[in-house]
Amino acid sequence: MELKPWSSSSLAAELLLILLLAAINGEASSASGSEKPVLRFSGKRGEFKILQIADMHYADGLKTKCLDVLPEEAPNCSDLNTTAFIYRVVKAENPDLIVFTGDNIFGLDATDPAKSMDAAFAPAIALKVPWAAILGNHDQESTLTREGLMQHIVGMPYTFSSINPEGFEVDGFGNYNLEVAGVEGSGLANKSVLNLYFLDSGDYSTVSDIGGYGWVKVSQQMWFLSAASHLQNLYMSKPEPQKEPAPGLVYFHIPLPEFSSFAASNMSGIKQEEISSASVNSGFFTTMLEAGNVKAVFTGHDHLNDFCGELTGIRLCYAGGFGYHAYGKAGWPRRARVMSAYLEKTRSGAWGGVRSIKTWKRLDDKHLSTIDTEILWEAGNEAGGRQKKRITKRRRHSG
């Protein structure tokens, strides 16, 4: 079923959600306990595509109305518009992995947080797309703790999420990494050519003398460095030893203070609000620099920011707000960020390691417009960040 944005038929949207939830129930028994497949690059395209969805703020479905939409859109707008947007963008992009970067549900308005999460993630499961999730600062504001939320998430079909790494005691819940293997049958089929790191950036400060939002703690940073070092050693060791580390991408919810480093002259996209980072700098940006393989960071939290900027060789990117029961800006479409990594061809014509990483955004408008396509990183060009093209022109705003 194709559900157009701002459809006047709420019945169509409700039917879509019913079908998606039925698919979840049908998949749960067959998927539980089964071994996860290997994430790997496509042998046809030499590509691995990730769809980032930030700040769904899902609550009670059709009963939950939209925020910050145009007056003519409001009467028939609900959480189900968020559901429809996921369905549309997944069908359009056909991602290899969906990453949900926190505030998946809005706990204060979620009558049953488990059911809200089931509905929020329903399109990914119904369409049988691998997905991973981390938490934001609003997920736990209902009757489930952060640990309880992650326990529910890791039990759902098609998810690659984990609660925490084995053998490490780390702060928070939802710290893990995923490996993306090379093309089946290639020399790098058994190596991770793209490394994905997920961290719990917390909700609010737990230190009595420090207000504001949470941050990535020392224990998490130590685990991150250990995981990055281990993966680099594997990649650069026999068999098929590589000369440089495989690129790494990092996902968490609350932006770092370093996101304040950019102005209109040195970023792509738009900044329309102040950076709501923690009030202290935990040093995680420096930790990522020390790791030596991080090429880009992807966050959510500030819904009206969707920019990317480069700082000391690392791209810092917002996704922009996705959900309709989340603050936004009337007339400024909700959006998702897409990232694709592309492999190089060796002299023999076989697929090798990652050659480049590109990103763009999809808008929930009539045409699912693609905007702000740019190169995040290219092998041999560590400066990165060269903007390739802009599909549409629009006036910049400063927050």
Side-chain angles (χ1 to χ4, degrees):
M1 179 199 320
E2 179 181 0
L3 185 65
K4 297 180 180 180
W6 309 115
S7 168
S8 59
S9 173
S10 59
L11 179 60
E14 189 171 16
L15 177 59
L16 171 62
L17 182 58
I18 290 171
L19 292 173
L20 295 175
L21 290 173
I24 283 183
N25 293 331
E27 293 288 348
S29 58
S30 61
S32 61
S34 60
E35 186 175 347
K36 292 185 179 70
V38 175
L39 295 174
R40 69 169 63 250
F41 278 74
S42 162
K44 294 181 179 179
R45 311 184 314 272
E47 179 184 8
F48 190 86
K49 183 185 290 186
I50 300 173
L51 170 66
Q52 181 192 0
I53 294 176
D55 299 276
M56 287 188 291
H57 280 234
Y58 215 94
D60 288 346
L62 187 61
K63 298 177 182 178
T64 302
K65 298 304 178 182
C66 299
L67 302 178
D68 298 327
V69 295
L70 296 172
E72 63 269 24
E73 298 166 343
N76 296 301
C77 186
S78 72
D79 272 341
L80 300 188
N81 287 76
T82 302
T83 297
F85 184 20
I86 301 175
Y87 184 83
R88 293 177 73 220
V89 74
V90 169
K91 295 293 284 186
E93 290 288 356
N94 191 28
D96 298 290
L97 178 71
I98 304 173
V99 175
F100 297 93
T101 52
D103 283 1
N104 310 296
I105 65 173
F106 189 68
L108 291 175
D109 291 340
T111 305
D112 184 330
K115 289 184 178 179
S116 294
M117 285 194 295
D118 288 345
F121 301 129
I125 297 169
L127 295 170
K128 301 183 178 181
V129 181
W131 60 280
I134 49 178
L135 302 178
N137 54 293
H138 289 302
D139 290 281
Q140 81 292 334
E141 293 174 336
S142 184
T143 56
L144 281 178
T145 63
R146 296 177 77 79
E147 182 177 12
L149 289 163
M150 286 306 301
Q151 285 176 339
H152 185 87
I153 287 171
V154 301
M156 297 178 76
Y158 298 104
T159 188
F160 280 72
S161 309
S162 295
I163 296 179
N164 272 333
E166 293 184 6
F168 285 84
E169 290 191 12
V170 297
D171 288 276
F173 300 94
N175 302 284
Y176 56 100
N177 67 281
L178 296 176
E179 303 175 22
V180 185
V183 170
E184 186 72 58
S186 72
L188 298 179
N190 297 318
K191 285 182 180 281
S192 178
V193 301
L194 179 69
N195 297 309
L196 312 177
Y197 304 92
F198 305 85
L199 294 103
D200 180 6
S201 55
D203 44 25
Y204 302 95
S205 172
T206 56
V207 180
S208 58
D209 294 336
I210 300 175
Y213 293 107
W215 57 85
V216 178
K217 304 294 186 6
V218 172
S219 63
Q220 298 167 278
Q221 296 185 45
M222 295 302 291
W223 160 75
F224 168 77
L225 282 175
S226 176
S229 175
H230 174 68
L231 290 168
Q232 290 181 43
N233 287 337
L234 289 177
Y235 192 64
M236 299 170 71
S237 299
K238 294 181 180 181
E240 298 287 340
Q242 302 299 300
K243 295 180 179 180
E244 299 291 339
L249 307 177
V250 183
Y251 294 87
F252 48 91
H253 181 72
I254 299 173
L256 302 173
E258 285 81 3
F259 274 72
S260 298
S261 303
F262 310 112
S265 60
N266 64 349
M267 68 182 187
S268 63
I270 290 179
K271 177 186 176 185
Q272 299 181 112
E273 61 178 309
E274 293 302 317
I275 309 303
S276 298
S277 60
S279 58
V280 297
N281 193 326
S282 69
F284 186 45
F285 183 81
T286 303
T287 298
M288 289 189 289
L289 284 176
E290 183 181 348
N293 70 328
V294 176
K295 307 307 178 186
V297 172
F298 302 95
T299 68
H301 190 56
D302 296 331
H303 308 174
L304 298 182
N305 294 336
D306 71 350
F307 65 80
C308 281
E310 185 269 328
L311 183 64
T312 324
I314 297 178
R315 299 286 286 176
L316 303 179
C317 297
Y318 277 109
F322 188 98
Y324 282 92
H325 184 56
Y327 78 83
K329 183 177 180 180
W332 194 66
R334 266 60 173 184
R335 58 204 56 213
R337 181 170 290 281
V338 185
M339 186 286 306
S340 266
Y342 304 91
L343 299 179
E344 63 181 357
K345 280 287 187 75
T346 65
R347 291 180 179 179
S348 63
W351 290 115
V354 176
R355 166 178 52 86
S356 64
I357 300 173
K358 185 169 71 172
T359 189
W360 59 92
K361 287 165 291 191
R362 283 279 194 165
L363 307 185
D364 193 21
D365 58 14
K366 182 178 180 181
H367 302 291
L368 271 179
S369 299
T370 298
I371 65 169
D372 295 343
T373 299
E374 61 183 304
I375 301 296
L376 290 178
W377 174 80
E378 290 180 297
N381 180 20
E382 291 306 313
R386 178 172 58 83
Q387 186 153 332
K388 186 176 181 182
K389 60 181 177 179
R390 291 180 67 97
I391 303 303
T392 60
K393 295 182 178 179
R394 56 189 187 178
R395 182 170 61 90
R396 292 187 185 276
H397 301 264
S398 58

